[in-house]
Amino acid sequence: TYVENTGPYYKPWSWYAGIGAADLANAVSANNLRVTVLKGFDAGGGQILFAAVLLFNSGKDAKPSWYYTDATTDQITSAQATNNARLTQVKAYVSGGKTHYAAVMVATAPSDAASWWYTDLPPAQITAQIAANNARLLDLEYIPSDGNYNAVMSACGAAGCPTWSWYTAQTQSQMQGLAPQNAGRIINNIAYAGCGGLCYSFVLVDNTLPSLDGSSPITSRVAPLLQAGGIDGVQGLYLKQVGGSVLANLEESFVYEPASSIKVLEHLYA
């Protein structure tokens, strides 16, 4: 999953694929990096390699952080307490018939929301924990051996969470349709065998335009009303200030037959 690395999204970063634990540690130390994503795999014969995404640990991105390349759930829990940290991701890999975990955590700041992490839960239980914790998903990983998931979630708090959603076992075309229909951008995506080829489980977060008055974005307020109307097909909207900027957009590039909705032009230009 990518975002355009410009403007407010810009961050100096790096990544590695197929790197050993020792080489990764050297890269982190030599370049003042911190790990944000870490996925281990057995490359054969018990050789464990990793795919990793890292940020330069400086400026506004500087945080005390820790990562673990081979840990049990008990060891992760202990490290979390010792470091006074919160998990940002937990990924499993199998080697020698045993499940190992790669985990990333950052120091807990006073302003940070409460967070929770779980391993090997079915979607129904994750849904129950989201409701019980009043939380949203930050990280999700599919477990091929049993169809369950590892998950990290964060509390929404009194102010509430941004609009978000998550889906499991979708085809690529379904995923590509659900993201714009929910006015969301994918922040976590897992592909695995199934669905006639590949299945995708993913997490979306609101990607709508901010409102002029600082209130909730128009798109995230109006879209649920359209989608709750029991109308089949694709729902969308587009609102642009005359001589100004776009204020709301949902599926604005979707080609459709306007039919009687074109009649509004009479009122706009009469």
Side-chain angles (χ1 to χ4, degrees):
T1 303
Y2 301 86
V3 294
E4 190 175 68
N5 200 29
T6 59
Y9 293 114
Y10 174 76
K11 292 180 182 293
W13 67 290
S14 183
W15 69 289
Y16 297 93
I19 188 172
D23 288 336
L24 178 60
N26 290 336
V28 168
S29 176
N31 298 295
N32 188 31
L33 299 168
R34 68 177 176 90
V35 177
T36 60
V37 178
L38 185 64
K39 174 67 176 177
F41 59 95
D42 191 329
Q47 181 188 19
I48 307 303
L49 299 178
F50 297 89
V53 179
L54 311 96
L55 290 176
F56 284 87
N57 198 31
S58 59
K60 64 181 180 180
D61 292 318
K63 291 182 179 180
S65 67
W66 302 264
Y67 73 92
Y68 301 89
T69 57
D70 183 4
T72 64
T73 53
D74 287 343
Q75 288 170 333
I76 294 171
T77 299
S78 176
Q80 186 179 8
T82 299
N83 299 328
N84 186 27
R86 59 182 176 85
L87 257 68
T88 57
Q89 71 124 81
V90 58
K91 307 288 188 189
Y93 61 92
V94 176
S95 179
K98 179 183 176 183
T99 298
H100 306 252
Y101 292 93
V104 180
M105 57 183 73
V106 297
T108 302
S111 59
D112 284 346
S115 65
W116 301 266
W117 61 282
Y118 304 94
T119 59
D120 202 17
L121 289 186
Q125 287 189 31
I126 293 176
T127 298
Q129 292 299 330
I130 290 170
N133 297 328
N134 185 28
R136 70 182 180 98
L137 286 174
L138 300 179
D139 184 66
L140 187 69
E141 184 198 28
Y142 179 76
I143 304 170
S145 60
D146 61 9
N148 289 341
Y149 291 84
N150 301 321
V152 178
M153 59 184 71
S154 176
C156 293
C161 279
T163 302
W164 74 283
S165 55
W166 69 296
Y167 297 88
T168 61
Q170 303 292 308
T171 65
Q172 182 175 347
S173 61
Q174 287 172 325
M175 177 177 65
Q176 291 172 333
L178 285 165
Q181 184 65 170
N182 285 278
R185 63 182 175 88
I186 296 172
I187 61 169
N188 185 260
N189 184 23
I190 318 105
Y192 49 94
C195 301
L198 285 176
C199 280
Y200 296 86
S201 295
F202 53 96
V203 181
L204 298 166
V205 70
D206 182 41
N207 199 40
T208 56
L209 297 167
S211 61
L212 295 179
D213 62 3
S215 62
S216 298
I218 296 171
T219 305
S220 60
R221 298 201 311 267
V222 176
L225 298 176
L226 295 173
Q227 294 161 353
I231 302 173
D232 292 333
V234 176
Q235 292 81 43
L237 63 99
Y238 185 78
L239 176 65
K240 184 179 186 300
Q241 190 174 35
V242 176
S245 59
V246 175
L247 303 178
N249 59 330
L250 177 70
E251 297 276 17
E252 71 274 16
S253 61
F254 187 85
V255 179
Y256 80 109
E257 170 56 57
S260 290
S261 65
I262 201 74
K263 293 176 182 176
V264 72
L265 289 176
E266 298 177 10
H267 303 286
L268 291 174
Y269 289 97

